[in-house]
């Protein structure tokens, strides 16, 4: 799963995305009605952050969005992730799987090791900083929709690679930089991109 990631303007492309989000009229609405835009540091659930999604003309555009769907089926609980294996059929996500896909740009994401104790319970262990090998940006794939006239998003997750399986039983669905824009292209078949997920990552304690 993914419940924390890191955003920074230290990479030129990320700086460009952050500047575009700051200039958005939607950001001004978020600042007044909801929460201010987060542009640096550790991103947490319900933060408002820069997201890539197509505009009405199908062009890749930067929008501020809040992290987390409100789940009406579970008393308003906030959902942060959706599974790639079931998003296309779950009532909460299936329309967004087809029509509302987004990219969450990050420097890297965090994961905490989950260790099974002798009694079968799970103990949270070390924190890891994880990013694709050979990439300067981590392009997390997600879905979005509108709640109360504001866009919100979730991060898609998948089965972990062999390396990550020793840390956690899920990982974000990440695409290489060459395919990130294809994920949000109107008319693209998301299922065709699932096999293109990043498999080589660097994981360091931190």
């Amino acid at each position: 799963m993914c419940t924390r990631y890191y955003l920074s303007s230290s990479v030129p492309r990320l700086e460009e995305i952050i500047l575009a989000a700051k200039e958005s009229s939607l950001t001004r609405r978020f600042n007044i009605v909801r929460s201010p835009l987060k542009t640096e540091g550790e991103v947490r659930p319900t933060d408002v952050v820069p997201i890539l999604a197509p505009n009405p003309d199908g062009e890749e555009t930067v929008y501020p969005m809040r992290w987390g769907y409100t789940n009406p089926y579970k008393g308003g609980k906030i959902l942060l992730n959706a599974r790639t294996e079931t998003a296309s059929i779950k009532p909460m996500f299936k329309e967004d799987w087809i029509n509302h896909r987004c990219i969450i740009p990050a420097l890297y994401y965090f994961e905490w090791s989950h260790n099974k104790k002798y009694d079968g319970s799970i103990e949270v262990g070390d924190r890891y900083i994880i990013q694709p090998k050979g990439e300067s940006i981590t392009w997390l794939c997600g879905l979005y929709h509108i709640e109360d006239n504001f866009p919100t998003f979730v991060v898609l997750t998948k089965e972990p690679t062999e390396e990550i399986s020793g840390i956690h039983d899920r990982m974000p669905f990440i695409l290489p930089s060459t395919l990130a824009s294809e994920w949000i292209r109107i008319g693209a078949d998301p299922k065709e991109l699932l096999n293109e997920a990043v498999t080589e990552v660097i994981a360091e304690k931190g």
Side-chain angles (χ1 to χ4, degrees):
M1 62 189 301
C2 179
T3 60
R4 297 283 194 283
Y5 68 87
Y6 197 88
L7 188 60
S8 172
S9 59
S10 61
V11 177
R13 177 62 177 134
L14 284 179
E15 181 181 28
E16 178 185 319
I17 291 169
I18 289 168
L19 288 174
K22 287 180 177 179
E23 295 172 357
S24 170
S25 60
L26 183 55
T27 293
R28 290 191 286 275
R29 286 183 54 216
F30 264 115
N31 289 341
I32 295 169
V33 181
R34 292 294 182 87
S35 302
L37 179 73
K38 178 115 184 189
T39 59
E40 294 280 343
E42 185 173 333
V43 176
R44 298 169 178 269
T46 73
D47 281 345
V48 177
V49 289
I51 301 295
L52 298 177
N55 67 16
D57 294 323
E59 299 167 334
E60 182 177 291
T61 305
V62 180
Y63 295 98
M65 296 190 191
R66 189 197 72 169
W67 188 4
Y69 280 19
T70 303
N71 187 350
Y73 304 108
K74 293 189 177 181
K77 180 181 178 182
I78 299 296
L79 292 176
L80 306 177
N81 303 132
R83 290 175 172 253
T84 55
E85 299 91 341
T86 58
S88 64
I89 58 174
K90 289 264 188 175
M92 176 70 83
F93 306 118
K94 62 181 182 180
E95 181 181 349
D96 300 332
W97 176 262
I98 298 299
N99 297 314
H100 297 137
R101 297 183 302 278
C102 63
I103 288 287
I104 303 98
L107 197 60
Y108 47 77
Y109 79 95
F110 296 106
E111 191 56 84
W112 283 260
S113 61
H114 284 54
N115 309 309
K116 184 173 287 188
K117 298 168 68 175
Y118 291 112
D119 62 1
S121 63
I122 299 297
E123 180 181 51
V124 177
D126 296 322
R127 185 177 78 164
Y128 287 81
I129 292 171
I130 304 171
Q131 60 189 152
K133 185 176 181 180
E135 297 268 10
S136 60
I137 298 176
T138 303
W139 302 104
L140 305 167
C141 296
L143 308 174
Y144 73 95
H145 70 191
I146 305 299
E147 294 183 8
D148 299 324
N149 296 317
F150 286 93
T152 67
F153 73 94
V154 292
V155 177
L156 286 162
T157 67
K158 60 182 286 294
E159 290 289 330
T161 62
E162 184 176 353
E163 180 180 8
I164 297 301
S165 66
I167 301 172
H168 201 279
D169 62 357
R170 301 292 294 176
M171 69 178 292
F173 172 38
I174 303 168
L175 282 174
S177 58
T178 54
L179 290 173
S181 293
E182 181 65 11
W183 176 253
I184 62 175
R185 181 176 65 82
I186 294 175
D189 183 350
K191 288 185 178 180
E192 291 183 355
L193 290 168
L194 294 181
N195 291 331
E196 303 296 334
V198 167
T199 56
E200 291 188 82
V201 298
I202 298 170
E204 299 177 342
K205 291 182 181 180

